[in-house]
Amino acid sequence: MELTKKITKSESSQSAWSKEWWTTFLKKSDFFKDSILIPDVMDEETVDSFNGMTGSMLREIFIRQNTSYDFRLYLNGKSQSRKYMVDNLFNFPPLITETLAEWADRVFSDQKFGLIINSGEKFSNEMAEKIALYLNPLLEQAGLPLKGINITVFVGNYGFTPLGIHTDHPGENVMHLHLGPGEKTMYNWDIEAYKELAGDISNNKNIAPLLPYAKAFQLKEGDVYFMPWNKFHIGNTEDFSVGVSVWYNNMPLNKLFENLIKSFKYQFLKKDDTNDNSLIVRPYKTPDAEEGFEQILSALEMDENKMNNSLKNLSKEVFEAYILSLYSNQGWKSRPISIEDELSPDGVKQDASTFHYLKGKIISVPESYKMTYKVLENGQLRIYARGTKIEIKYHPELITIIEKLNEGGSYLTEELLTVLSKDWPEDAGLYILNLLYLKRAIVY
């Protein structure tokens, strides 16, 4: 086994996550092709900050008892059911006054456990905003991956990754921010070398015989580790630790088109009303497409011009909407929990039914984020706010407000609304700003 303690060093002249830092990263990793370890990137204050955000993320998930985003618990190497988590985990969230290590000792005692929290960007807007700042210079240099970016958090002392030795999906590169306190060892095998040793076996749990042939990376608190998608790998965490993994997800062309088909469904397919008998497709009597085809088309929310559009033009429109939505969320795959869905500690929705609370507030767009928009042929303005689509009647003054906010300044609400014509009542302007606020596209 080749133990690699330091693949590259944090240059003292380069502050972490700066343009220069990312330039060095891309060079050392051969533009996302090689695994590298960068030591001592995060100081103690940053580590503590991420640990605090992880605790908040767990509290958010536990309050919701949400496992729909592939939240997983392993005990002694075995995956636990949702029922087990509801009965034995969700009622014991981390306390604000305790560290994650103290919480783990209180809840799991001497058990070997592992939590895998997927779509972390949804459950911690604070963490998403912090990491978005880190990624900005990288996205300017390398571009935004079209499958998006997402966060997975690993918590526990679970030993070897319960999945066994495996590869990630094609194009899904990962950067691991290790928060400790325990160390973690990552083992890598090149694909061809691994196949010579073990054949084409994924999720391989016969680990020990293969370790002497791996390249090993020893991660300690504050280190950052990067791994491209095409490595067989496994991690080992014997002592309690926390790690935040940020996925930079490119994808194969056919997978991208599958995503566009999902986007087409979201944009144009009418909501299914199973109680409407007129929507039940009747049997066909002839083997051709003429009979009943108009009924098939009626399932789509399209005007005649769009219906008669070419496949190429329609595909481009769907792709454009996909891109605008992704960019409005700074590339994050999952939209944040909206303000109106945010839960208080007792599990009750916050009241966000009025918009007058925005009067007299200083409004801005969160750093790193920009709203995107498109003026539609039907006279509507489509705004993408943190990945959510909002359609309202087009007025050029609205674009002026969006572009002003996107420039990065902070504005008193009344000052921002002065660009609206005299025909606009103040409540209308506040209503639109409230739509953006509820989706977290603006803050005050």
Side-chain angles (χ1 to χ4, degrees):
M1 176 177 62
E2 179 185 347
L3 179 61
T4 309
K5 291 187 177 178
K6 292 185 181 180
I7 287 290
T8 186
K9 295 182 179 179
S10 293
E11 300 292 340
S12 59
S13 61
Q14 298 174 359
S15 59
W17 319 113
S18 65
K19 179 180 179 180
E20 294 74 21
W21 189 92
W22 281 113
T23 298
T24 300
F25 164 83
L26 289 172
K27 181 179 178 181
K28 296 288 186 180
S29 69
D30 193 17
F31 207 87
F32 303 114
K33 293 185 182 71
D34 292 333
S35 297
I36 61 172
L37 174 63
I38 311 174
D40 304 320
V41 175
M42 298 176 291
D43 59 20
E44 184 178 350
E45 182 180 355
T46 302
V47 168
D48 288 345
S49 172
F50 274 115
N51 275 316
M53 286 182 264
T54 300
S56 297
M57 183 188 297
L58 288 171
R59 285 189 288 274
E60 183 73 50
I61 292 170
F62 286 15
I63 287 171
R64 294 171 179 275
Q65 300 194 354
N66 192 321
T67 59
S68 58
Y69 287 81
D70 201 17
F71 179 87
R72 299 182 230 169
L73 168 65
Y74 294 89
L75 289 178
N76 301 315
K78 294 183 179 179
S79 179
Q80 302 301 306
S81 68
R82 171 178 168 76
K83 184 179 185 308
Y84 181 92
M85 289 187 270
V86 170
D87 293 342
N88 300 283
L89 179 64
F90 290 148
N91 290 327
F92 306 98
L95 302 177
I96 295 175
T97 55
E98 65 185 347
T99 67
L100 289 175
E102 289 168 341
W103 165 76
D105 185 60
R106 172 168 64 88
V107 174
F108 298 104
S109 187
D110 57 355
Q111 294 183 90
K112 287 287 188 180
F113 82 97
L115 286 175
I116 300 179
I117 310 163
N118 288 296
S119 300
E121 70 278 9
K122 184 172 191 69
F123 297 103
S124 176
N125 189 55
E126 183 183 6
M127 185 181 290
E129 289 187 358
K130 187 178 185 73
I131 293 177
L133 287 173
Y134 290 175
L135 296 179
N136 271 342
L138 172 67
L139 300 184
E140 289 174 3
Q141 293 185 66
L144 193 152
L146 293 187
K147 196 176 180 181
I149 303 165
N150 64 285
I151 295 171
T152 301
V153 181
F154 297 86
V155 181
N157 60 347
Y158 44 87
F160 285 106
T161 309
L163 299 175
I165 300 172
H166 63 285
T167 58
D168 295 318
H169 295 299
E172 297 186 357
N173 305 307
V174 64
M175 176 171 279
H176 183 89
L177 285 62
H178 195 64
L179 308 183
E183 295 189 351
K184 182 186 186 82
T185 307
M186 287 299 302
Y187 299 93
N188 280 195
W189 296 262
D190 289 333
I191 287 180
E192 293 306 318
Y194 174 85
K195 287 182 177 179
E196 287 182 10
L197 293 167
D200 196 13
I201 302 174
S202 194
N203 301 111
N204 186 354
K205 297 184 180 180
N206 187 21
I207 299 164
L210 298 172
L211 292 181
Y213 304 96
K215 178 181 284 188
F217 300 83
Q218 194 74 31
L219 284 64
K220 68 179 188 311
E221 180 179 309
D223 291 352
V224 169
Y225 163 77
F226 169 78
M227 185 183 69
W229 65 269
N230 58 348
K231 301 286 185 185
F232 276 93
H233 63 278
I234 194 168
N236 187 27
T237 309
E238 292 297 335
D239 298 318
F240 175 81
S241 74
V242 180
V244 175
S245 291
V246 182
W247 298 84
Y248 184 93
N249 300 307
N250 300 295
M251 59 180 155
L253 185 58
N254 64 330
K255 294 295 183 183
L256 173 59
F257 207 86
E258 286 179 11
N259 275 19
L260 295 184
I261 292 171
K262 292 177 185 176
S263 185
F264 173 89
K265 177 181 176 181
Y266 174 75
Q267 291 182 58
F268 297 120
L269 191 64
K270 291 178 183 176
K271 293 229 177 351
D272 186 16
D273 183 356
T274 55
N275 295 317
D276 186 347
N277 290 331
S278 68
L279 297 180
I280 303 298
V281 180
R282 63 181 179 273
Y284 272 33
K285 296 179 180 179
T286 56
D288 60 54
E290 294 302 319
E291 183 184 356
F293 187 61
E294 288 302 318
Q295 185 187 18
I296 300 297
L297 292 181
S298 71
L300 301 176
E301 195 79 62
M302 286 185 178
D303 58 31
E304 188 174 350
N305 288 336
K306 205 172 256 70
M307 197 74 75
N308 294 324
N309 216 337
S310 69
L311 176 61
K312 179 178 179 179
N313 289 340
L314 189 58
S315 298
K316 185 176 181 181
E317 182 177 338
V318 172
F319 183 53
E320 181 183 40
Y322 179 87
I323 292 293
L324 290 174
S325 176
L326 191 63
Y327 267 81
S328 74
N329 204 26
Q330 186 63 357
W332 293 117
K333 285 178 67 175
S334 296
R335 293 173 292 180
I337 296 171
S338 62
I339 296 295
E340 67 261 47
D341 286 339
E342 192 171 65
L343 297 179
S344 61
D346 58 1
V348 178
K349 270 192 178 184
Q350 293 184 355
D351 181 13
S353 58
T354 179
F355 44 78
H356 291 104
Y357 59 83
L358 289 176
K359 293 180 70 171
K361 296 294 192 296
I362 304 295
I363 301 290
S364 64
V365 170
E367 195 172 358
S368 299
Y369 294 90
K370 293 182 186 294
M371 290 173 279
T372 57
Y373 61 87
K374 181 178 175 62
V375 180
L376 306 179
E377 293 178 358
N378 63 2
Q380 294 287 100
L381 175 65
R382 181 181 293 160
I383 303 170
Y384 295 92
R386 293 297 303 272
T388 295
K389 179 178 71 174
I390 299 171
E391 285 193 12
I392 53 179
K393 188 175 180 181
Y394 167 70
H395 293 277
E397 300 98 327
L398 296 178
I399 292 180
T400 302
I401 290 175
I402 291 171
E403 291 183 343
K404 197 170 185 179
L405 286 165
N406 279 346
E407 289 172 0
S410 298
Y411 304 93
L412 185 68
T413 302
E414 288 76 5
E415 174 192 353
L416 200 59
L417 296 180
T418 57
V419 303
L420 298 175
S421 69
K422 295 180 180 179
D423 298 333
W424 280 72
E426 182 186 56
D427 279 4
L430 289 171
Y431 171 77
I432 292 169
L433 288 179
N434 189 52
L435 289 177
L436 302 177
Y437 169 72
L438 293 178
K439 303 305 179 187
R440 300 190 184 273
I442 60 174
V443 295
Y444 67 82

